[in-house]
Amino acid sequence: MVSRVIPVDDFDLVIFGGTGDLARRKILPGLYRRCLSGQVPDDARIIGAARSDMDTEGYRQMIREAIAEFGGPEAADGKAIDRFLTRLHYVTVDARGDGGWKELHDLLRKDVINAFYFSVGPGLFGDLAERLLRFEIADTNARIVVEKPFGRDLESARALNATLAQHFNEDQIYRIDHYLGKETVQNLMAVRFGNVLFEPLWNNHYVDHIQITVAETVGVEGRGAYYDKSGAMRDMVQNHLMQLLCLIAMEPPSMFDADAVRDEKLKVIRALQPVDYHHIVRGQYDKTRTSADYRTDAEDPRSHTESFVALKAHINNWRWAGVPFYMRTGKKLKARSSEIAVVFKDLGHSIFPGDEARHRNILSIQLQPNEGIKLQVTIKEPGPGGMRLVDVPLDMTFAEALGPDAEGVPDAYERLIMDVIRGNQTLFMRGDEVEAAWAWTDPIIEGWKARNDVPKLYDQGSSGPEDALMLLHRDGRKWREIKE
Ligand code: NDP
Ligand code: BG6
């Protein structure tokens, strides 16, 4: 198999917040790797913009250091980095001031794609949008990329959508959820809609339940100020986990096209039943002998913010009625592992005498690390001794199945930025989707507040609080083990 890199058209990309953590850790190292792969035209330019007073040379030096730190193995190629840096420019602008905008206007080329990445807090989106138009920098062909969090509840998300809509059309707005850019997340759609095998079984006749786990080993890592106002529900469930739920549960779109896919995802979110509060568990990681607890990391000794959530959701439609979707996510858990597991029903009747085990087919989609897909099937245990059955995985770890082709796979940010340049919104959230997701999570968060809910403590390096295990145990089910 030969990996194919399809070059994108020429562009000028402005990164507001170009000196920030996200730009230095993800966006610029990602762009560097795309340049290295040959996907970016020689003339394409990247313009960092922020309040910090520095010139283009200073910015290039900052990004050289960022690539050395976050660029991965490709960062060893000094000549390639030098070439990449020549594409960079820097303009000092304040999103709330008037200085620098004229300079930005004059710098941009009008005959290439213009994209504006808002890698700043959402409080600045309106200011940036308004100035981009007032200074005649962006026109109706410009593309705007906005980061999460897209609001902190339905009301604020509506306000943000309204602000952006005053200045740009929906087909110009790219709302990032980087989980949609992950290779295996897209593979989920390929597996579902590119094979005849699964679709007939993908419903409540054959599926017992579905588990979605996004487990992290990291804590809040210096982001305490942001995270403590957010918690796992806003930071992970409202966006990443709900997007995964949508892709696993949606009806087949008529084609792989931005609105067709997003229409189907929206229907899933709208069909979600409100969650019974007995079906949600919140947790907060405790201290150990060597590492601090969540409250210390978040610098609030009385914080009731959750670093873990587990819940049981139901989708009210013909396909999924009665099938529980168990979702959990948390920080400082036992392993970094994200997995979706489709657990099929037991056989109604076994023809093998003496075989009392509960054999189940399980389709497990491993998002990270070790991306791949496994199908648990039941076979005869080899050798004499009669028909003894055993469950084994049919394993398609992508690194093994695809060999070197699996290595050059772009990371989520790289792929999504290239999609912006290509003008493909399929892997971005539409405004109505984001609002529908908040409409489902808001009552959960409000319920916690109204009941003064206190999260359960859990041990670092565990699978979360005991109550999360009970959530499935009560239903006669078991979480899959969290392991890399
Ligand atoms: P940082 O605080 O590290 O960076 C913020 C950037 O915005 C800096 O470049 C800052 O530069 C610039 N900035 C701040 N105020 C202004 C202003 N008035 N005018 C122009 N520029 C301004 O934040 P992050 O990079 O971490 O996050 C950026 C966005 O991305 C946020 O919305 C965040 O929620 C989101 N995000 C971040 C992730 C991450 O891993 N960091 C992950 C997912 C989303 P200066 O001070 O020089 O102006
Ligand atoms: C971000 C969250 O959106 O996703 C972080 O804000 C989280 O809290 C991160 O750590 C997880 O992303 P990934 O790609 O490492 O699974």
Side-chain angles (χ1 to χ4, degrees), residues 26 148 178-179 182 214 216 218 223 226-227 235-236 239-240 331 336 338 368:
K26 292 280 184 192
K148 71 168 276 247
H178 78 279
Y179 265 59
K182 288 185 190 276
V214 178
E216 299 187 272
V218 291
R223 292 169 70 218
Y226 150 76
Y227 191 90
D235 184 53
M236 297 294 286
N239 36 79
H240 305 325
K331 297 207 180 277
R336 177 173 185 253
S338 301
Q368 60 190 24

CSV table of all heavy atoms in Angstrom, one decimal, residues 26 148 178-179 182 214 216 218 223 226-227 235-236 239-240 331 336 338 368, ligand 2:
chain,number,residue,atom,x,y,z
A,26,LYS,N,0.4,22.1,19.6
A,26,LYS,CA,-0.3,21.3,18.7
A,26,LYS,C,-0.3,21.9,17.3
A,26,LYS,O,0.0,21.2,16.3
A,26,LYS,CB,-1.7,21.1,19.1
A,26,LYS,CG,-1.9,20.2,20.4
A,26,LYS,CD,-1.8,18.8,20.0
A,26,LYS,CE,-2.1,17.9,21.2
A,26,LYS,NZ,-1.7,16.5,20.9
A,148,LYS,N,-12.7,24.6,21.2
A,148,LYS,CA,-13.5,24.3,22.3
A,148,LYS,C,-12.9,25.0,23.5
A,148,LYS,O,-11.7,25.3,23.5
A,148,LYS,CB,-13.6,22.8,22.5
A,148,LYS,CG,-12.4,22.2,23.0
A,148,LYS,CD,-12.6,20.8,23.5
A,148,LYS,CE,-13.1,20.7,24.9
A,148,LYS,NZ,-12.1,20.1,25.9
A,178,HIS,N,-11.3,17.9,18.5
A,178,HIS,CA,-10.2,17.2,17.9
A,178,HIS,C,-10.4,15.7,17.8
A,178,HIS,O,-9.7,15.0,17.1
A,178,HIS,CB,-8.8,17.6,18.5
A,178,HIS,CG,-8.6,17.0,19.8
A,178,HIS,ND1,-9.1,17.5,21.0
A,178,HIS,CD2,-7.8,15.9,20.2
A,178,HIS,CE1,-8.7,16.7,22.0
A,178,HIS,NE2,-7.9,15.8,21.6
A,179,TYR,N,-11.4,15.2,18.6
A,179,TYR,CA,-11.6,13.7,18.6
A,179,TYR,C,-12.1,13.3,17.2
A,179,TYR,O,-11.8,12.2,16.7
A,179,TYR,CB,-12.6,13.3,19.7
A,179,TYR,CG,-11.9,12.8,20.9
A,179,TYR,CD1,-11.0,13.7,21.5
A,179,TYR,CD2,-11.9,11.5,21.3
A,179,TYR,CE1,-10.2,13.3,22.6
A,179,TYR,CE2,-11.2,11.1,22.4
A,179,TYR,CZ,-10.3,12.0,23.0
A,179,TYR,OH,-9.6,11.6,24.1
A,182,LYS,N,-9.3,12.2,14.9
A,182,LYS,CA,-8.5,11.0,15.2
A,182,LYS,C,-8.8,9.9,14.1
A,182,LYS,O,-9.9,9.7,13.7
A,182,LYS,CB,-8.8,10.5,16.6
A,182,LYS,CG,-8.2,11.4,17.7
A,182,LYS,CD,-8.4,10.8,19.0
A,182,LYS,CE,-8.1,11.8,20.1
A,182,LYS,NZ,-6.7,11.9,20.5
A,214,VAL,N,-13.1,6.9,27.8
A,214,VAL,CA,-11.9,7.7,27.5
A,214,VAL,C,-11.1,8.0,28.8
A,214,VAL,O,-11.5,8.8,29.6
A,214,VAL,CB,-12.3,9.1,26.8
A,214,VAL,CG1,-11.1,9.9,26.6
A,214,VAL,CG2,-13.0,8.9,25.5
A,216,GLU,N,-7.7,8.8,31.0
A,216,GLU,CA,-6.4,9.5,30.9
A,216,GLU,C,-5.6,9.2,32.1
A,216,GLU,O,-6.2,8.9,33.2
A,216,GLU,CB,-6.7,11.0,30.8
A,216,GLU,CG,-7.5,11.4,29.6
A,216,GLU,CD,-7.5,12.9,29.5
A,216,GLU,OE1,-8.4,13.5,30.1
A,216,GLU,OE2,-6.6,13.5,28.9
A,218,VAL,N,-3.1,11.5,32.9
A,218,VAL,CA,-2.7,12.8,33.3
A,218,VAL,C,-3.7,13.4,34.2
A,218,VAL,O,-4.9,13.0,34.2
A,218,VAL,CB,-2.5,13.8,32.1
A,218,VAL,CG1,-1.3,13.4,31.2
A,218,VAL,CG2,-3.8,13.9,31.2
A,223,ARG,N,-3.6,23.3,34.1
A,223,ARG,CA,-4.8,23.9,33.5
A,223,ARG,C,-5.9,24.0,34.6
A,223,ARG,O,-7.1,24.1,34.2
A,223,ARG,CB,-5.3,23.1,32.3
A,223,ARG,CG,-4.4,23.1,31.2
A,223,ARG,CD,-4.8,22.1,30.1
A,223,ARG,NE,-6.1,22.5,29.5
A,223,ARG,CZ,-7.0,21.6,29.1
A,223,ARG,NH1,-6.9,20.3,29.4
A,223,ARG,NH2,-8.1,22.0,28.5
A,226,TYR,N,-8.8,26.7,34.4
A,226,TYR,CA,-9.8,26.5,33.4
A,226,TYR,C,-10.6,25.2,33.8
A,226,TYR,O,-11.9,25.3,33.8
A,226,TYR,CB,-9.2,26.2,32.0
A,226,TYR,CG,-10.0,25.3,31.1
A,226,TYR,CD1,-11.2,25.7,30.5
A,226,TYR,CD2,-9.6,23.9,31.0
A,226,TYR,CE1,-12.0,24.8,29.8
A,226,TYR,CE2,-10.4,23.0,30.2
A,226,TYR,CZ,-11.6,23.5,29.6
A,226,TYR,OH,-12.3,22.6,28.9
A,227,TYR,N,-9.9,24.2,34.1
A,227,TYR,CA,-10.6,22.9,34.3
A,227,TYR,C,-11.6,22.9,35.5
A,227,TYR,O,-12.7,22.3,35.5
A,227,TYR,CB,-9.6,21.8,34.5
A,227,TYR,CG,-10.2,20.4,34.5
A,227,TYR,CD1,-10.3,19.7,33.3
A,227,TYR,CD2,-10.7,19.8,35.6
A,227,TYR,CE1,-10.9,18.5,33.2
A,227,TYR,CE2,-11.3,18.5,35.6
A,227,TYR,CZ,-11.4,17.9,34.4
A,227,TYR,OH,-12.0,16.7,34.3
A,235,ASP,N,-15.8,19.4,29.9
A,235,ASP,CA,-14.5,19.3,29.2
A,235,ASP,C,-14.5,18.1,28.2
A,235,ASP,O,-13.9,18.2,27.2
A,235,ASP,CB,-13.4,19.2,30.2
A,235,ASP,CG,-12.0,19.2,29.6
A,235,ASP,OD1,-11.7,20.1,28.9
A,235,ASP,OD2,-11.2,18.2,29.9
A,236,MET,N,-15.1,17.0,28.6
A,236,MET,CA,-15.0,15.8,27.8
A,236,MET,C,-16.3,15.2,27.3
A,236,MET,O,-16.5,14.8,26.2
A,236,MET,CB,-14.3,14.7,28.6
A,236,MET,CG,-12.9,15.0,29.0
A,236,MET,SD,-11.7,15.1,27.6
A,236,MET,CE,-11.5,13.4,27.1
A,239,ASN,N,-18.6,17.2,24.6
A,239,ASN,CA,-18.1,17.2,23.2
A,239,ASN,C,-17.5,15.9,22.8
A,239,ASN,O,-18.2,15.2,22.0
A,239,ASN,CB,-17.0,18.4,23.1
A,239,ASN,CG,-16.2,18.5,24.4
A,239,ASN,OD1,-15.3,17.7,24.6
A,239,ASN,ND2,-16.6,19.4,25.3
A,240,HIS,N,-16.3,15.5,23.3
A,240,HIS,CA,-15.7,14.3,22.7
A,240,HIS,C,-16.5,13.0,22.8
A,240,HIS,O,-16.7,12.3,21.9
A,240,HIS,CB,-14.3,14.1,23.4
A,240,HIS,CG,-13.4,15.3,23.3
A,240,HIS,ND1,-13.3,16.1,22.3
A,240,HIS,CD2,-12.5,15.7,24.2
A,240,HIS,CE1,-12.4,17.1,22.5
A,240,HIS,NE2,-11.9,16.8,23.7
A,331,LYS,N,-9.6,11.6,34.7
A,331,LYS,CA,-8.2,11.8,34.7
A,331,LYS,C,-7.5,11.0,35.9
A,331,LYS,O,-8.2,10.6,36.8
A,331,LYS,CB,-7.9,13.3,35.0
A,331,LYS,CG,-8.5,14.2,33.8
A,331,LYS,CD,-7.8,15.5,33.7
A,331,LYS,CE,-8.4,16.3,32.6
A,331,LYS,NZ,-7.8,16.0,31.3
A,336,ARG,N,-3.8,5.1,29.9
A,336,ARG,CA,-4.4,6.0,28.9
A,336,ARG,C,-5.0,5.1,27.9
A,336,ARG,O,-4.3,4.3,27.2
A,336,ARG,CB,-3.3,6.8,28.3
A,336,ARG,CG,-3.8,7.7,27.1
A,336,ARG,CD,-2.7,8.7,26.7
A,336,ARG,NE,-3.2,9.6,25.7
A,336,ARG,CZ,-3.0,9.5,24.4
A,336,ARG,NH1,-2.1,8.6,23.9
A,336,ARG,NH2,-3.5,10.4,23.5
A,338,SER,N,-8.6,4.8,25.2
A,338,SER,CA,-9.9,5.2,24.8
A,338,SER,C,-10.4,4.1,23.9
A,338,SER,O,-9.8,3.7,22.9
A,338,SER,CB,-9.8,6.5,23.9
A,338,SER,OG,-9.3,7.5,24.7
A,368,GLN,N,-7.1,5.0,21.1
A,368,GLN,CA,-5.7,5.3,21.4
A,368,GLN,C,-5.3,4.7,22.7
A,368,GLN,O,-6.2,4.5,23.5
A,368,GLN,CB,-5.5,6.9,21.6
A,368,GLN,CG,-6.4,7.5,22.6
A,368,GLN,CD,-6.4,9.0,22.6
A,368,GLN,OE1,-6.1,9.6,21.6
A,368,GLN,NE2,-6.7,9.6,23.7
B,2,BG6,C1,-9.1,18.1,25.6
B,2,BG6,C2,-9.4,18.3,27.1
B,2,BG6,O1,-10.1,18.6,24.8
B,2,BG6,O2,-8.9,16.8,25.4
B,2,BG6,C3,-8.3,17.8,28.0
B,2,BG6,O3,-9.6,19.7,27.3
B,2,BG6,C4,-8.0,16.3,27.6
B,2,BG6,O4,-8.7,17.9,29.3
B,2,BG6,C5,-7.8,16.2,26.1
B,2,BG6,O5,-6.9,15.9,28.3
B,2,BG6,C6,-7.7,14.7,25.7
B,2,BG6,O6,-7.3,14.6,24.4
B,2,BG6,P1,-6.4,13.4,23.9
B,2,BG6,O7,-6.3,13.6,22.4
B,2,BG6,O8,-5.1,13.4,24.6
B,2,BG6,O9,-7.2,12.2,24.2
